[in-house]
Amino acid sequence: MELFLSNFFLAAKQVLILYIMIAVGFVCDKTGVFTEKTARGTNSLLFFVTTPAVIIQSFLKTEFSKDSALKLLIAFGGAVAVHVIGIILSSFFFKKEQDDKKAVYRFACVYGNVGYMALPLAQELLGAQGVFYCSVGVIAFNIFCFTHGSFIMSKKQQGIKSFKARKLILNPGVISVLIGLPLFLFSVKLPDIIETPLYSVAACNTPLAMIVFGTYLANAKLKNIFKEKNIFITAAIKLVCMPLVIFGVYKMFGFTGIFLVAAMITASAPSANNTVIFTAQYDRDLNTASRTVTAINFMSIITMPLIIALAQQM
């Protein structure tokens, strides 16, 4: 019980930290200091600059060694499996929704707040080793997010999706992975004159994304946020079904300890703020995205500690 409460409060603390930054954006919009209209321009900065910096940084910070390579590869496979499970589960739902809302719900089912929630929580609970295993979740997230995520968010033009196959490669996420992967495999150490600006830009990502999200939230209709059935369906898939399925798979193969807990932290993360960023970027239903991400992040205060406690007791 003591362990559960400890995990519960650590997760709740991390969520609270994020929501304080979101509150800054909310207040900025309401006071006219930094409005949603301005934030839409900033969204491109997040999409094309700061997020790629985070991806490349995640490769540079992950140390390659023969001893840990196998488990890192397995962790990456697990992170891929989480996204595949989410894609499969979400495909059975929201079929009657309008395309703009359907895209948002399905995106929110699949993509978790790995960078802003899972990594900081892994650091608090597990230390550097936990961050090491969680880091590949960021890589898997960005590969899927900028391919499948871009695809489902793309608009239709005359009945045909405007998404083009070349965008599977020519997008900020995949290009960043293609840059970062050799740096990781060959343990490249960049000179300070390059690495320091890269890390500084990457450090802007979380607060900037949260503040932008706060401006969207300020314009969302939150009155009936917990009365929408589809939000609860999305939450059930993202917060319960996906982590429990991947937990069962890992247990079947005998994984325990830090590796299992790190995997569960990644799998149980709430819907990513990228849901809102991509919704804005592709001109989908921004109000639905803001409400969905907000509600699911609130619910994760309870579900994440439960999943983590389950993993730690095995």
Side-chain angles (χ1 to χ4, degrees):
M1 187 64 179
E2 184 178 346
L3 179 60
F4 168 78
L5 289 175
S6 175
N7 292 333
F8 179 89
F9 286 118
L10 278 174
K13 176 184 175 183
Q14 189 58 44
V15 172
L16 179 60
I17 290 171
L18 295 179
Y19 269 85
I20 288 173
M21 288 187 277
I22 290 170
V24 172
F26 187 96
V27 172
C28 284
D29 182 272
K30 292 299 185 182
T31 56
V33 173
F34 183 70
T35 64
E36 181 188 4
K37 184 178 180 180
T38 307
R40 285 178 179 270
T42 307
N43 181 72
S44 295
L45 180 66
L46 285 164
F47 198 76
F48 293 106
V49 180
T50 63
T51 296
V54 172
I55 298 170
I56 296 170
Q57 177 188 250
S58 72
F59 280 97
L60 290 171
K61 282 190 171 183
T62 305
E63 295 183 5
F64 179 84
S65 68
K66 292 181 179 179
D67 294 336
S68 58
L70 179 59
K71 274 196 172 181
L72 190 66
L73 185 61
I74 293 170
F76 177 73
V80 169
V82 167
H83 290 88
V84 172
I85 291 166
I87 291 169
I88 293 172
L89 289 175
S90 64
S91 68
F92 292 103
F93 298 93
F94 320 116
K95 293 180 179 179
K96 295 182 180 180
E97 282 292 336
Q98 296 177 348
D99 286 345
D100 280 355
K101 289 188 176 183
K102 183 195 300 182
V104 170
Y105 290 132
R106 288 184 172 173
F107 192 101
C109 283
V110 178
Y111 299 103
N113 203 347
V114 181
Y116 308 143
M117 181 71 72
L119 288 182
L121 189 56
Q123 179 66 49
E124 289 290 330
L125 289 175
L126 307 173
Q129 193 174 0
V131 174
F132 176 70
Y133 292 131
C134 280
S135 65
V136 290
V138 178
I139 298 169
F141 169 89
N142 283 290
I143 291 173
F144 276 90
C145 192
F146 282 95
T147 52
H148 168 265
S150 294
F151 177 76
I152 63 173
M153 281 290 187
S154 297
K155 288 280 190 179
K156 285 186 177 181
Q157 294 177 351
Q158 296 181 345
I160 302 174
K161 272 189 177 289
S162 61
F163 178 83
K164 299 183 185 301
R166 61 185 174 82
K167 291 186 178 180
L168 292 174
I169 297 175
L170 299 178
N171 66 72
V174 172
I175 290 173
S176 302
V177 170
L178 293 176
I179 293 171
L181 186 59
L183 301 178
F184 165 70
L185 292 175
F186 297 106
S187 300
V188 175
K189 173 68 175 176
L190 294 179
D192 288 343
I193 196 169
I194 296 175
E195 190 173 272
T196 300
L198 176 69
Y199 281 27
S200 295
V201 171
C204 297
N205 194 60
T206 297
L208 189 58
M210 294 300 105
I211 290 172
V212 168
F213 178 42
T215 67
Y216 297 150
L217 194 60
N219 293 276
K221 297 176 182 178
L222 302 178
K223 184 177 180 180
N224 298 317
I225 191 171
F226 289 105
K227 294 183 180 180
E228 294 186 29
K229 181 183 69 174
N230 284 328
I231 288 180
F232 282 96
I233 292 173
T234 304
I237 294 171
K238 183 71 198 76
L239 301 178
V240 181
C241 295
M242 287 170 58
L244 288 181
V245 170
I246 202 70
F247 174 79
V249 172
Y250 273 120
K251 286 301 295 178
M252 185 171 63
F253 287 98
F255 291 104
T256 58
I258 289 178
F259 181 82
L260 178 62
V261 177
M264 289 304 99
I265 290 174
T266 300
S268 63
S271 297
N273 189 50
N274 272 32
T275 306
V276 178
I277 293 173
F278 272 60
T279 298
Q281 188 70 26
Y282 289 98
D283 195 28
R284 291 294 190 175
D285 192 326
L286 196 54
N287 193 29
T288 295
S290 298
R291 292 200 307 269
T292 301
V293 172
T294 301
I296 292 176
N297 272 269
F298 275 128
M299 295 179 204
S300 73
I301 298 174
I302 296 174
T303 58
M304 280 194 81
L306 283 171
I307 298 295
I308 292 167
L310 177 64
Q312 287 187 318
Q313 291 173 5
M314 295 295 172

